[in-house]
Amino acid sequence: MIVKSADHVRVEVHDPVRRRPVLREEAGERVRGRGLHIVKALAARCGVEDRPLGKAVWAEVAR
């Protein structure tokens, strides 16, 4: 889901799994596990919300 306002765009991804994402230490040789680092670098705000059937992971980017 994408929600736009005058000052930001919110991107939200719904997932049926309740397990929350974990920010891992950066490692140059690892191929996976960089997604949250990228989101945190680009987003003004981000978070996770519990849903009845899983969770929603969201990020807001300034316009």
Side-chain angles (χ1 to χ4, degrees), residues 10-13 39 43 45-49 51 56-60:
R10 179 177 171 133
V11 178
E12 192 170 287
V13 178
V39 169
R45 295 182 341 140
C46 61
V48 180
E49 297 174 357
R51 299 291 170 137
V57 180
W58 58 270
E60 292 179 355

Side-chain angles (χ1 to χ4, degrees), residues 11-49:
V11 178
E12 192 170 287
V13 178
H14 296 245
D15 184 335
V17 179
R18 293 210 140 222
R19 187 179 66 241
R20 290 177 168 251
V22 176
L23 186 63
R24 299 178 184 171
E25 286 188 41
E26 293 184 57
E29 66 278 356
R30 188 175 24 210
V31 178
R32 299 178 53 153
R34 296 186 178 123
L36 286 180
H37 289 283
I38 294 169
V39 169
K40 288 210 169 263
L42 297 175
R45 295 182 341 140
C46 61
V48 180
E49 297 174 357

